[in-house]
Amino acid sequence: MTQLESAKEGIISPQMESVAQCEGVEAEFIQQGVAKGTIVIPSNTKHGNLTPCGIGQGLRTKVNANIGTSSDYGNADTELEKLRVAIDCGADTVMDLSTGGDISAIRRAIIAASSLPIGTVPIYQAGIEAIARYGAIVKMTVDDLFAVIEEHTQNGVDFITVHCGVTQSAITRLKQQGRVADVVSRGGAFLIGWMLYNERENPLYEHYDRLLELAREFDVTLSLGDGMRPGSLADATDRPQVEELLTLGELVERARQAGVQVMVEGPGHLPLNQIETNVHLEKAICKGAPFYVLGPLVTDVAAGYDHITGAIGGAIAAAAGTDFLCYVTPAEHLSLPDPEDVRQGVIASRIAAHAGDIAKGVKGAEQWDRQMSVARKKLNWEEQARLSLSPERSRQVHSKHAPAGAACSMCGKFCAMALVEEYLGVSATRC
Ligand code: SF4
């Protein structure tokens, strides 16, 4: 039985127990969330060393780190190093988006080395193999695509992005819309090219039942991709995007009926004032399915700093009910991320996720900040480092300029904390 089928039967699986322990909630809460589809636990039965992670309503907002080679750069070693950095920095999941080198071998190495759930986008590999075999992505056969999906599920991939909502009707809307940036989703672009050339419906939509069967076999969670996500603020929340979301809402219901766990992906580039609306739309149309957003990026002009752009959007999205943030690195729009970009991206998204969790009232979120404030009042630097999102960075910055006393070098002997303690006798122990 899949997690969803177990939960519907009222059975609490070991994965549900583990997630409950991690989140500090009752196992029944997880089981009921999985049964309703508002929580997913991506856990392929073939991913041996996996620590299960719950994503969804009432749980801590999770952060995904994308790694993977491109046709220009990277190999198994570079990607395993990025995986290590992502795990060290506290990512909750990792997606292998490799499009260069021995893609299958890299994926298997990443899965073997990862205790975190691993996600992939099988259409990338299917498209690349079609180029090698036939000279063009558009020559890919439906069986070729499903063979790659099967390979990923059998390898132990825990969740797969499948752009099932890129239908002919969504393409018609795209043409009529007249976008600034058209399509920025690689998977979406592969499929649109294939559909237009072959004058056929999206095979992932047309053969959705076949996809559900493959996913069900090893309990792979479907992450319904947003091939029509806006890649420019000018294209945000437009008709093709909403058309795709309506289709995804229907596919969520079919996945749940088939016993397959499902979440829904979202934008992308969104102005601040449209983020909440997008979250509410997804939650309403997709019946509470966990929402997984890329960023969102709240401006188009911060190249080199898009981890910050994404964290601003991610915090607002998380506060509004988004469950899962895909990180954005400083390399976004510019190059393939290196390990330092991965570090910056994960930390920025974790800040966003935690800020959202405080607003959402996630268990333990507010207390964490309170503990930090108490440690600050006590000038307890080691405790502050321990409580930091990045203890190493905290220690490094604090020791940059040696302080004369117990305070830090910012105010030195005029430390506000120390002065108030001395003259007003206010003790942090009362906090
Ligand atoms: S010196 Fe200034 S910045 Fe440093 S702990 Fe004291 S009040 Fe805070």
Side-chain angles (χ1 to χ4, degrees):
M1 277 200 288
T2 64
Q3 297 296 319
L4 178 52
E5 289 166 335
S6 300
K8 281 180 181 169
E9 295 281 315
I11 299 166
I12 294 173
S13 67
Q15 289 90 338
M16 293 174 210
E17 288 276 12
S18 168
V19 168
Q21 220 170 24
C22 216
E23 300 278 343
V25 298
E26 297 296 323
E28 285 74 16
F29 175 79
I30 303 296
Q31 175 256 317
Q32 285 162 14
V34 173
K36 279 189 286 186
T38 56
I39 292 174
V40 294
I41 306 176
S43 49
N44 187 316
T45 50
K46 298 194 92 178
H47 188 172
N49 56 340
L50 178 71
T51 303
C53 166
I55 300 166
Q57 198 177 333
L59 308 184
R60 184 173 57 77
T61 305
K62 303 303 184 301
V63 168
N64 174 73
N66 286 339
I67 62 172
T69 58
S70 75
S71 52
D72 289 330
Y73 184 78
N75 53 44
D77 290 341
T78 61
E79 301 322 299
L80 287 172
E81 171 62 7
K82 288 185 207 168
L83 172 70
R84 188 192 62 74
V85 171
I87 293 173
D88 279 1
C89 294
D92 298 292
T93 67
V94 168
M95 288 191 81
D96 170 25
L97 307 185
S98 289
T99 54
D102 188 341
I103 297 173
S104 295
I106 293 168
R107 178 177 58 255
R108 287 194 300 268
I110 288 173
I111 293 168
S114 179
S115 57
L116 303 183
I118 295 293
T120 58
V121 189
I123 186 80
Y124 294 173
Q125 185 172 1
I128 289 158
E129 287 182 358
I131 292 171
R133 197 173 298 148
Y134 313 115
I137 291 170
V138 295
K139 304 281 174 141
M140 175 183 75
T141 68
V142 173
D143 284 342
D144 290 338
L145 173 57
F146 276 89
V148 171
I149 294 172
E150 191 166 7
E151 185 188 332
H152 285 226
T153 61
Q154 285 186 343
N155 284 168
V157 170
D158 302 289
F159 61 103
I160 51 172
T161 293
V162 275
H163 303 84
C164 307
V166 179
T167 57
Q168 287 289 356
S169 139
I171 294 176
T172 303
R173 292 230 189 272
L174 175 72
K175 286 180 185 164
Q176 288 167 353
Q177 179 76 40
R179 277 184 166 184
V180 170
D182 288 328
V183 170
V184 294
S185 153
R186 262 186 297 182
F190 281 16
L191 282 165
I192 289 169
W194 188 94
M195 291 159 67
L196 291 174
Y197 178 85
N198 293 290
E199 297 179 345
R200 287 181 60 183
E201 186 51 279
N202 179 349
L204 295 171
Y205 178 75
E206 195 177 353
H207 304 282
Y208 190 60
D209 288 333
R210 185 173 173 185
L211 179 63
L212 291 174
E213 265 176 51
L214 285 180
R216 193 185 162 280
E217 189 177 359
F218 301 113
D219 202 358
V220 174
T221 298
L222 294 186
S223 187
L224 297 177
D226 53 339
M228 294 289 176
R229 71 169 175 268
S232 157
L233 292 197
D235 300 332
T237 327
D238 67 358
R239 293 188 297 269
Q241 184 199 326
V242 175
E243 164 86 29
E244 182 182 37
L245 185 63
L246 291 171
T247 305
L248 297 185
E250 291 165 4
L251 298 179
V252 163
E253 290 203 284
R254 283 174 61 189
R256 286 175 179 169
Q257 281 159 12
V260 172
Q261 300 187 91
V262 63
M263 54 189 170
V264 173
E265 298 185 10
H269 291 237
L270 283 180
L272 273 177
N273 57 336
Q274 290 185 24
I275 294 175
E276 209 176 318
T277 303
N278 270 264
V279 177
H280 293 166
L281 262 181
E282 187 277 344
K283 289 288 177 183
I285 290 170
C286 302
K287 304 254 166 74
F291 196 27
Y292 176 25
V293 300
L294 176 59
L297 298 160
V298 294
T299 170
D300 298 337
V301 300
Y305 297 95
D306 273 329
H307 57 313
I308 297 173
T309 320
I312 294 169
I316 292 166
T322 292
D323 311 281
F324 194 16
L325 304 180
C326 186
Y327 84 170
V328 179
T329 77
E332 184 76 13
H333 301 114
L334 300 171
S335 74
L336 191 73
D338 64 18
E340 183 52 27
D341 294 320
V342 171
R343 182 185 312 282
Q344 298 280 341
V346 171
I347 295 294
S349 281
R350 285 192 63 206
I351 295 168
H354 178 60
D357 286 347
I358 295 165
K360 275 195 282 197
V362 169
K363 196 170 178 193
E366 205 186 339
Q367 287 88 330
W368 183 6
D369 288 62
R370 190 178 180 84
Q371 286 174 344
M372 176 61 101
S373 297
V374 171
R376 286 205 170 122
K377 182 71 182 83
K378 288 179 174 172
L379 301 176
N380 183 341
W381 300 102
E382 189 41 42
E383 181 67 353
Q384 288 178 56
R386 191 187 69 77
L387 290 165
S388 291
L389 278 168
S390 174
E392 190 190 337
R393 170 87 180 144
S394 171
R395 289 188 193 102
Q396 196 184 51
V397 175
H398 177 62
S399 61
K400 206 158 61 172
H401 306 294
C408 79
S409 57
M410 173 78 184
C411 328
K413 62 184 177 182
F414 305 113
C415 171
M417 301 282 193
L419 286 172
V420 170
E421 177 81 18
E422 183 181 348
Y423 293 110
L424 292 184
V426 177
S427 166
T429 53
R430 284 195 219 150
C431 297

